[in-house]
Amino acid sequence: MPNLRNHRAVITGASSGIGADMARLLAGWGCDVLVAARRRDRLDALAARLRADHGVDAIPIAVDLATAGGRAELAEAACARGFDIWINNAGFGDYQPFVATEWARHAQMLELNVVALAELSHRAVAHLLSRGRRGYLLNVGSVVAYVPIPNFANYCGTKAYVRAFSNALAAELAGTPVTVTCLMPGATATEFAEVAGHRLSAAQRRFMMPSEQVARIGLRAMLRGRRNVVTGAPNKLTALGARLLPTRALSWAAARALGRPTRTLPEASR
């Protein structure tokens, strides 16, 4: 088990799912945590449990990272306390035809999945480099970065950005004490599908990875300094298929696997 005493981690999107499980794992390894998300009640409960169970310093900060003010508030609070690990986990998707979703929803997705991740990475890396000691940046992407999936167009685009950005930044930071890891999970048992409006079948639910397992894989890869990690054999096959198969075939197969969205294209657009 890793020993992370005298370390502090910042985790966004920590009120549930992979982010909350990462906070629990890190606290179990002795790491102090600063957990951030919008839902204050969940953050307060999580932080209280981490303090009680593991005796670590656990600080909840309720912010909306889709806003510039929220990002500045979190960065300032984190830098004032100091940290060794920064995890960009906050994000969401929307499983609908692109034009059947209001632009405001797409704009919010871009702001959170791309702009917030890039801005917070900028602030985090600057702080980590200034400390002159080993530091870690972990960005949570998705296996959809490899496959353009119909009805997930904007979400796939944001995660393709996360993967490309993280890999380029990792190359820039080679030779420094700071490493960058991109975690790319596939279907995971979290609230993601509900938020995305994706109705899951019983069969689809059975093949989901537990979020604690995904969190553990990602954290261990981060501590080893790996640049990319895809979780689970089916997702690794998807990533391999993206290199070997035509994009159209991959998109068709993904659309068949995920099923129909709850909304359809407007009549005039057909």
Side-chain angles (χ1 to χ4, degrees):
M1 181 172 67
N3 182 357
L4 294 181
R5 297 198 180 279
N6 300 317
H7 288 69
R8 183 185 298 279
V10 181
I11 310 158
T12 72
S15 61
S16 65
I18 296 170
D21 281 322
M22 285 182 170
R24 295 185 190 100
L25 286 166
L26 287 165
W29 297 340
C31 186
D32 295 331
V33 295
L34 190 159
V35 289
R38 290 183 303 168
R39 295 177 287 192
R40 181 178 297 277
D41 56 340
R42 291 197 181 191
L43 288 178
D44 288 345
L46 175 63
R49 176 52 58 190
L50 297 179
R51 289 192 292 266
D53 289 350
H54 304 292
V56 299
D57 184 24
I59 301 168
I61 297 186
V63 288
D64 183 358
L65 296 178
T67 67
R71 297 191 289 271
E73 180 182 347
L74 174 60
E76 289 167 9
C79 290
R81 291 172 172 84
F83 56 88
D84 313 275
I85 299 167
W86 187 287
I87 300 171
N88 284 315
N89 172 68
F92 72 93
D94 195 63
Y95 188 64
Q96 306 294 344
F98 180 71
V99 297
T101 300
E102 293 184 356
W103 174 248
R105 177 77 165 168
H106 288 304
Q108 184 185 29
M109 192 189 306
L110 290 166
E111 194 73 26
L112 184 60
N113 294 13
V114 175
V115 177
L117 181 138
E119 180 180 343
L120 293 174
S121 293
H122 189 275
R123 292 174 179 266
V125 170
H127 176 81
L128 291 170
L129 289 173
S130 73
R131 290 166 65 86
R133 53 185 282 187
R134 187 71 183 270
Y136 307 89
L137 174 66
L138 173 60
N139 289 330
V140 179
S142 170
V143 73
V144 304
Y146 293 99
V147 183
I149 302 176
N151 303 309
F152 257 151
N154 196 26
Y155 179 68
C156 289
T158 66
K159 293 306 181 179
Y161 172 85
V162 172
R163 176 174 173 261
F165 167 75
S166 299
N167 278 267
L169 183 57
E172 285 185 27
L173 294 174
T176 77
V178 180
T179 60
V180 181
T181 300
C182 186
L183 171 63
M184 288 170 284
T188 306
T190 67
E191 298 174 356
F192 175 84
E194 180 182 351
V195 173
H198 184 203
R199 294 177 298 192
L200 297 170
S201 67
Q204 287 172 325
R205 292 184 185 279
R206 281 197 299 271
F207 284 100
M208 286 185 159
M209 288 185 70
S211 61
E212 192 274 344
Q213 183 181 0
V214 171
R216 186 181 298 274
I217 291 170
L219 291 176
R220 288 190 176 276
M222 176 195 75
L223 294 173
R224 295 186 184 109
R226 291 181 58 187
R227 292 190 182 184
N228 293 282
V229 57
V230 178
T231 62
N235 299 316
K236 290 176 181 177
L237 286 174
T238 297
L240 177 62
R243 299 187 183 98
L244 302 176
L245 300 174
T247 299
R248 181 175 294 185
L250 288 169
S251 295
W252 177 85
R256 289 292 295 268
L258 292 179
R260 294 180 180 274
T262 56
R263 294 196 292 272
T264 60
L265 289 171
E267 289 291 336
S269 299
R270 291 183 179 176

